[in-house]
Amino acid sequence: MWFAEAMADRIDTFSHDNLTFDVLDTGPLDGEVIVLLHGFPERASSWAQVSTLLNEQGYRTIAPDQRGYSPGARPRRRRDYTIDKLVGDVVALIETIGRPVHLVGHDWGSNVAWFVTMQNPDLVIDLTAFSVAHPAAFLRSLLGPQALHSWYMGFFQLPFVPELALSGQWAPTRYWMSRGGLGRDELARVREEIVDYGALTGGLNWYRALPFADRRSFGRRVQVPTTMVWSDKDLFLGRDAPAKTAEYVDAPYDLIVLPGVTHWIQTQAPESAAAAILERVSG
């Protein structure tokens, strides 16, 4: 792909599909660019500790608040959150940056990163995926125990009820989120940065758009060097999908297992997260 001149100034926002996205851009302007994609229920700020560690090593980190999270990018229809649109947003960001990037994702951000990499290998130098496996590996794992880990995806299809449940008022939901690894301070951050910020329905719409996904694209293979990072205390992703992911990568591949860490790797184990990214991007 032909690129315009790489951006020499900070990127605070970018536009795509008549939407405007907020961006956290830190580190040396002339450093190699690492794009960090957040998951649910988080925003770009979830990468703050990891970004600092990467910036100290000379890398520039760019983390967007994605579709449904940025106030200027909250379309109402769930069809506006299909994977092709989420991928298009990230492609627009990379084109704004003006050069291929090291791509990193966590949770839903990993899912988007997988698809960006499969469909646009010319935009991605390498991929580091946290807590979500290759889409085809994940689908295969749903035939086994992973279905029990992913029950909430069905619950999130309901209208209104998930918003009520995740607003922080229901004790069973607080227990489920705490059991999933979120501490009291992190639950307060979800309340402030997602619920009070008006981003909860937008984040849930990523799940509500799943019935409209074109599954024919899920089996594409990855052609760039890739690292999959999985933590063995992850309540939402079992061991099977990460174990199968190597079958879909036609490039150097590493699986890193973090013992004793929950799903929320980048906030609870930022040093390990940064080390995994640095090992991949420096390689």
Side-chain angles (χ1 to χ4, degrees):
M1 174 176 288
W2 179 84
F3 285 100
E5 184 178 352
M7 291 291 293
D9 298 322
R10 292 293 177 199
I11 300 173
D12 298 319
T13 63
F14 73 97
S15 298
H16 176 245
D17 202 18
N18 295 317
L19 304 173
T20 300
F21 299 82
D22 298 329
V23 176
L24 295 179
D25 180 351
T26 60
L29 285 171
D30 61 350
E32 292 185 48
V33 176
I34 302 176
V35 169
L36 303 165
L37 304 178
H38 67 80
F40 175 87
E42 296 179 310
R43 288 169 45 205
S45 57
S46 66
W47 290 107
Q49 296 178 81
V50 173
S51 289
T52 298
L53 295 170
L54 298 177
N55 298 157
E56 290 172 352
Q57 297 301 314
Y59 291 93
R60 179 180 178 183
T61 54
I62 295 181
D65 276 354
Q66 297 183 84
R67 183 176 291 236
Y69 296 85
S70 291
R74 295 176 181 170
R76 298 183 62 181
R77 303 184 311 163
R78 57 180 180 155
R79 286 181 178 271
D80 290 322
Y81 294 83
T82 52
I83 192 66
D84 60 303
K85 294 184 179 297
L86 304 174
V87 167
D89 297 338
V90 177
V91 169
L93 172 59
I94 297 174
E95 291 176 342
T96 300
I97 294 167
R99 53 185 169 182
V101 302
H102 305 282
L103 188 58
V104 178
H106 172 255
D107 186 78
W108 255 112
S110 283
N111 195 49
V112 174
W114 283 111
F115 279 96
V116 171
T117 304
M118 290 188 292
Q119 297 174 9
N120 304 274
D122 55 323
L123 302 183
V124 180
I125 301 169
D126 47 54
L127 169 66
T128 306
F130 290 88
S131 308
V132 168
H134 186 281
F138 180 76
L139 281 180
R140 287 172 57 196
S141 72
L142 286 174
L143 299 176
Q146 181 59 43
L148 297 176
H149 291 281
S150 300
W151 65 269
Y152 62 92
M153 292 185 178
F155 172 65
F156 286 171
Q157 300 302 313
L158 298 174
F160 310 120
V161 176
E163 279 86 344
L164 292 173
L166 293 170
S167 66
Q169 304 304 313
W170 289 8
T173 306
R174 291 199 303 271
Y175 170 77
W176 173 66
M177 295 178 73
S178 297
R179 187 167 173 263
L182 289 176
R184 179 177 298 179
D185 291 345
E186 290 164 313
L187 288 171
R189 180 166 55 84
V190 170
R191 177 76 187 189
E192 177 183 355
E193 294 194 2
I194 300 299
V195 179
D196 294 345
Y197 194 60
L200 182 55
T201 294
L204 287 167
N205 280 341
W206 289 43
Y207 293 94
R208 290 168 175 159
L210 284 172
F212 305 109
D214 181 1
R215 295 189 179 183
R216 293 174 296 178
S217 64
F218 280 37
R220 291 190 181 185
R221 307 183 69 80
V222 172
Q223 308 293 331
V224 306
T226 298
T227 296
M228 167 81 214
V229 185
W230 176 70
S231 44
D232 66 2
K233 297 298 182 183
D234 194 326
L235 182 69
F236 310 109
L237 182 68
R239 184 180 299 272
D240 189 43
K244 288 182 167 65
T245 290
E247 302 174 30
Y248 299 94
V249 181
D250 294 333
Y253 173 77
D254 289 314
L255 171 61
I256 296 176
V257 178
L258 301 180
V261 181
T262 75
H263 180 76
W264 315 102
I265 296 172
Q266 80 275 36
T267 56
Q268 296 181 356
E271 294 85 2
S272 296
I277 296 169
L278 288 168
E279 183 176 349
R280 174 50 64 198
V281 302
S282 64

